[in-house]
Amino acid sequence: MRYLLGIDIGTSGTKTVLFDEKGTVIASESEEYPLSQPQNGWAEQNPAHWWTAVKNTVKEVVNASGVNKKDIVSIGLSGQMHGLVMLDEKNEVIRPAILWCDGRTTSQCKEIEEIIGKERLIEITANPALEGFTAGKILWVKENEPENFAKCRKILLPKDYIRFMLCGEFATEVSDASGTQLLDIGKRQWSTEVCEKLGIDLSLLPKVYESPEATGNLKEDIAEELGLESKTVIAGGGGDNACAAIGMGVCKEGKAFTTVGTSGVVFAHTNALHTDKGGRIHAFCCAVPNAWHVMGVTQAAGLSLNWFRNQLAKEYDYKELDKLASEIPIGCDSLIYLPYLMGERSPVLDAGARGVFFGLSAIHTKLHMARAVMEGVAYSLYDCLEVLKENSIEVGDMALCGGGAKSRFWREMFGDVYGVNVKTMQTSEGAVLGAALLGGCAAGVYSSVEEACDKTVISGDTYEYSKENHEKYMKYYSVYRTLYPALKESYKML
């Protein structure tokens, strides 16, 4: 039996899991680290914390597994996307990494669209300039910390910094590189045009691979420290959502998933590149060679319910709130919630948007508001699904994951709002399993990503949606979708 290590370098911590080739968990370990906010709206981390967490968790997992190190054949990497790691000529970190959730680059995003042109930028990178993406962060350092930019010899994404520490190779892969705004998404290579116009030397960027390709092997000293073999293969891996897709078997046309964590994502696999000219949804290369994915993002999904419970309904735990909210009728007696607590990305693209309860009256209770929050999040993600449909992307198979998927009531609501059957997955490992499977492909355990998914990913329960409920939800959704356009100018005034 061969064994596969998956490592997910997240924002709150790193998780390392050892799987066998059937996808069974052998051992698992995680370690948290801090996030720094030196100014309002900024978010940074010390890459040394990631590296320490990776070493600690890998050693713990290897020791706890009891597996012969010769049988651990590969490492797959998943990670938070968009983060900027800058190395100097000695390959040392110049400054703390600027993370995906950092919002300091608004002026740089405007600058990027002015230099390249919004339409041309979307033609090449398939996305409008957004604060979360890496290109704006590079320009911010160039303009605000010229001494640091002058020292820079290599730019890496978070998981790719870990790759460098493991094997000494400067490499990335197409799914994570898609989120830099420097990749030609159709050609799956760095865009010379974008880099030249933004003044970013191509020599600063790592080599681009496909996700299941081998990018190197463990350095001998690191292998000895971790208790592994130096011939252990390190795969390209993927961004967190791209790896989560593989971990749920979303690797073929027509397959999709919804994740409800702090934010919410609707993600669909596609064999052809679909670019929304308005930039309302993201299009990235996916972890399957020569395929892509499109996704919409709701900034405050689980965060909305978390905010509501903590601020207005502390007397209920989440299970109680879930049960009692399910007893409120669909539509919450004409109460609608807009989940824009943190602005919105898809399909609204408005950092100034804010949350709203619309239709509030004296008959409404906290439980009406709780259900309205859940319905509002579902409507927001359905908004994203509708844009996918506009771009000729049909979804026939929808999986659900994340903390929100643990609620049977919310799962059923998503199915009824979407008008599709939804299923859960037997494993909850998601991104870290996907990373491990990509490692297995690189090591020759599987002949393709599709084969890896077929052999390891098992579905859980399936909920068949109610056509009657879908029709009821659509009456309220038709009101929901008129609210942002009506409030858009008011948000600006506010």
Side-chain angles (χ1 to χ4, degrees):
M1 178 70 77
R2 292 165 291 183
Y3 298 88
L4 324 170
L5 263 177
I7 304 174
D8 180 40
I9 301 97
T11 310
S12 59
T14 283
K15 184 173 187 178
T16 298
V17 182
L18 184 67
F19 300 89
D20 66 18
E21 56 191 272
K22 296 179 180 178
T24 306
V25 173
I26 305 302
S28 176
E29 189 60 55
S30 59
E31 181 172 311
E32 295 183 352
Y33 32 70
L35 181 148
S36 171
Q37 293 185 283
Q39 293 189 36
N40 186 27
W42 291 20
E44 299 182 348
Q45 278 179 333
N46 183 349
H49 293 156
W50 307 333
W51 179 227
T52 298
V54 167
K55 289 193 293 183
N56 289 345
T57 55
V58 170
K59 285 188 281 190
E60 288 285 339
V61 163
V62 171
N63 290 335
S65 70
V67 169
N68 189 320
K69 66 179 182 180
K70 293 181 180 179
D71 295 327
I72 300 175
V73 296
S74 63
I75 296 174
L77 299 171
S78 167
Q80 51 169 301
M81 295 179 68
H82 316 307
L84 173 64
V85 181
M86 306 176 76
L87 304 184
D88 64 16
E89 61 184 7
K90 295 181 180 179
N91 295 327
E92 293 179 351
V93 175
I94 294 170
R95 70 172 323 285
I98 304 175
L99 303 190
W100 63 275
C101 49
D102 188 289
R104 76 183 74 178
T105 62
T106 300
S107 63
Q108 284 74 31
C109 289
K110 292 178 181 176
E111 183 182 342
I112 289 169
E113 292 193 343
E114 288 170 1
I115 292 171
I116 297 171
K118 184 173 181 178
E119 287 188 10
R120 181 59 179 155
L121 183 68
I122 292 175
E123 281 178 11
I124 299 170
T125 72
N127 297 283
L130 295 176
E131 285 84 353
F133 291 171
T134 316
K137 298 176 174 66
I138 298 170
L139 294 191
W140 185 92
V141 173
K142 187 177 182 181
E143 294 167 10
N144 293 276
E145 298 176 355
E147 69 287 354
N148 284 334
F149 188 79
K151 294 178 191 175
C152 185
R153 295 295 177 271
K154 196 61 68 175
I155 289 169
L156 297 174
L157 296 161
K159 81 171 193 320
D160 300 322
Y161 172 72
I162 297 302
R163 183 198 319 281
F164 170 72
M165 297 300 285
L166 289 170
C167 69
E169 298 290 338
F170 293 121
T172 188
E173 47 65 47
V174 291
S175 74
D176 214 355
S178 295
T180 63
Q181 198 106 63
L182 302 175
L183 195 78
D184 185 317
I185 304 297
K187 295 180 180 178
R188 304 170 87 86
Q189 63 188 33
W190 297 122
S191 168
T192 302
E193 179 181 339
V194 172
C195 290
E196 286 181 351
K197 287 182 176 179
L198 298 183
I200 298 170
D201 196 311
L202 281 167
S203 67
L204 296 174
L205 304 177
K207 183 178 178 180
V208 181
Y209 290 81
E210 290 290 338
S211 297
E213 283 189 286
T215 60
N217 301 87
L218 272 181
K219 293 189 290 185
E220 287 191 10
D221 59 328
I222 298 301
E224 185 176 350
E225 182 179 357
L226 300 180
L228 295 169
E229 292 276 282
S230 60
K231 64 182 180 181
T232 306
V233 175
I234 300 172
D240 47 9
N241 279 307
C243 281
I246 303 307
M248 289 187 291
V250 178
C251 61
K252 299 175 184 177
E253 189 86 36
K255 287 182 173 286
F257 75 85
T258 295
T259 181
V260 185
T262 301
S263 61
V265 171
V266 172
F267 177 116
H269 178 99
T270 174
N271 292 334
L273 175 59
H274 295 264
T275 301
D276 183 70
K277 293 182 179 180
R280 296 172 296 170
I281 52 174
H282 305 317
F284 291 162
C285 301
C286 75
V288 179
N290 300 313
W292 290 262
H293 70 253
V294 289
M295 66 180 191
V297 181
T298 291
Q299 296 280 71
L303 176 63
S304 284
L305 190 61
N306 180 265
W307 165 81
F308 175 78
R309 187 260 171 188
N310 288 344
Q311 299 300 327
L312 300 174
K314 279 188 175 178
E315 65 270 30
Y316 302 110
D317 63 32
Y318 287 104
K319 286 186 177 180
E320 290 174 319
L321 205 58
D322 191 68
K323 179 180 181 300
L324 294 170
S326 70
E327 297 171 2
I328 301 296
I330 290 173
C332 314
D333 291 322
S334 301
L335 179 64
I336 295 173
Y337 170 75
L338 304 186
Y340 305 150
L341 299 183
M342 304 295 289
E344 193 54 290
R345 272 172 73 173
S346 306
V348 167
L349 288 173
D350 188 346
R354 290 296 179 264
V356 170
F357 280 104
F358 177 76
L360 196 64
S361 74
I363 68 165
H364 290 126
T365 66
K366 288 182 182 179
L367 299 178
H368 284 86
M369 297 172 77
R371 176 163 184 144
V373 166
M374 299 172 85
E375 289 185 359
V377 170
Y379 293 147
S380 180
L381 289 167
Y382 183 67
D383 250 355
C384 300
L385 194 59
E386 287 288 273
V387 178
L388 265 60
K389 292 176 184 176
E390 286 179 34
N391 283 275
S392 302
I393 300 164
E394 293 298 324
V395 172
D397 185 289
M398 178 67 72
L400 283 178
C401 64
K406 294 177 183 177
S407 160
R408 181 180 177 85
F409 167 53
W410 217 354
R411 292 201 305 268
E412 292 177 354
M413 181 187 294
F414 276 110
D416 289 344
V417 170
Y418 287 179
V420 298
N421 297 341
V422 297
K423 64 182 181 182
T424 57
M425 310 306 295
Q426 283 197 9
T427 178
S428 60
E429 298 300 344
V432 73
L433 172 59
L437 295 181
L438 293 169
C441 292
V445 176
Y446 314 109
S447 63
S448 66
V449 177
E450 292 87 345
E451 183 197 2
C453 292
D454 289 342
K455 288 187 172 181
T456 61
V457 179
I458 303 172
S459 299
D461 297 329
T462 296
Y463 169 74
E464 295 188 6
Y465 83 96
S466 162
K467 185 177 179 181
E468 179 183 351
N469 287 348
H470 176 68
E471 291 172 353
K472 289 179 181 178
Y473 279 120
M474 288 303 96
K475 291 178 181 178
Y476 292 98
Y477 173 71
S478 66
V479 178
Y480 170 92
R481 67 185 309 178
T482 68
L483 297 179
Y484 173 75
L487 292 170
K488 184 175 180 179
E489 294 306 314
S490 299
Y491 282 132
K492 292 179 182 178
M493 292 172 64
L494 188 62

